[in-house]
Amino acid sequence: MAEKLRTVKIGLAMVLLGMLFGVGMGVSFGVKEDAYKAFITEQVKAHPEVHDVQGKNKIWRYAQRAHFHATGIAAFSLGLIILLMFTDMRQRLKAVSSFLIGLSGLYPLAWFNMFFLAPYIGREAAHHHFITEALTYMGVGGLLLGMLLLALNLFFGLFRDEIID
């Protein structure tokens, strides 16, 4: 079991960090939700030229989406990595696949980045900011590639390790 865990440890750590981020955001909402909303209100007032009537509510929603996506994606990514541990995939490809699945935690950071930037530069600019897009493409792309490797192994027997323990 320790050897199986060692192979996927980096991806597992990434997923657990993503879970910690999501749960931490939820806790911070419970403790200081007003601080999030005050931040949005203050910055929207300071930069009215980049906001419309729905701006404050939409930006608050970005923070919520960061929380929801972080916990949800981490939960199913954790399940994928546990499944991956017990496949007959080559050890090196298990490590690669778990790392790719672990990258899924970057996607919620894209929502958090939009929450943070939108009050200053507007929702549209925050949505298309290079950091937001990089986090989105790396998070979603990594998850899809990791899942593809796992699915190809599970359903088509590709990437099998010659030595099955």
Side-chain angles (χ1 to χ4, degrees):
M1 179 65 148
E3 181 59 36
K4 290 181 184 299
L5 187 59
R6 190 171 315 135
T7 304
V8 299
K9 195 175 276 189
I10 292 173
L12 186 60
M14 294 165 65
V15 166
L16 292 175
L17 283 172
M19 181 69 76
L20 183 62
F21 171 73
V23 170
M25 281 201 74
V27 169
S28 72
F29 290 165
V31 173
K32 286 284 191 184
E33 181 177 319
D34 292 340
Y36 283 90
K37 291 181 176 178
F39 163 73
I40 296 166
T41 299
E42 290 168 13
Q43 295 309 317
V44 166
K45 283 182 184 176
H47 307 283
E49 67 280 0
V50 294
H51 296 287
D52 59 17
V53 176
Q54 297 176 335
K56 288 192 291 190
N57 291 334
K58 295 272 187 176
I59 295 169
W60 167 237
R61 194 75 179 130
Y62 293 165
Q64 292 173 320
R65 286 180 179 163
H67 159 66
F68 297 146
H69 282 90
T71 53
I73 290 171
F76 79 73
S77 293
L78 179 61
L80 290 172
I81 289 178
I82 291 169
L83 178 62
L84 179 66
M85 284 174 49
F86 296 101
T87 66
D88 62 356
M89 186 184 289
R90 285 183 223 136
Q91 297 301 308
R92 184 72 185 137
L93 280 175
K94 277 186 187 182
V96 168
S97 186
S98 74
F99 175 78
L100 290 169
I101 292 169
L103 287 176
S104 64
L106 296 176
Y107 180 68
L109 294 178
W111 283 107
F112 187 79
N113 190 62
M114 287 191 302
F115 155 73
F116 183 75
L117 292 177
Y120 298 102
I121 64 176
R123 292 190 337 262
E124 189 69 24
H127 186 78
H128 295 290
H129 193 274
F130 76 96
I131 293 173
T132 303
E133 290 188 351
L135 291 168
T136 299
Y137 292 130
M138 287 189 298
V140 173
L143 177 61
L144 292 175
L145 285 172
M147 287 174 59
L148 178 64
L149 289 172
L150 178 59
L152 289 172
N153 175 257
L154 288 173
F155 299 112
F156 299 105
L158 298 178
F159 317 120
R160 285 189 175 163
D161 197 350
E162 291 79 38
I163 301 170
I164 300 175
D165 46 318

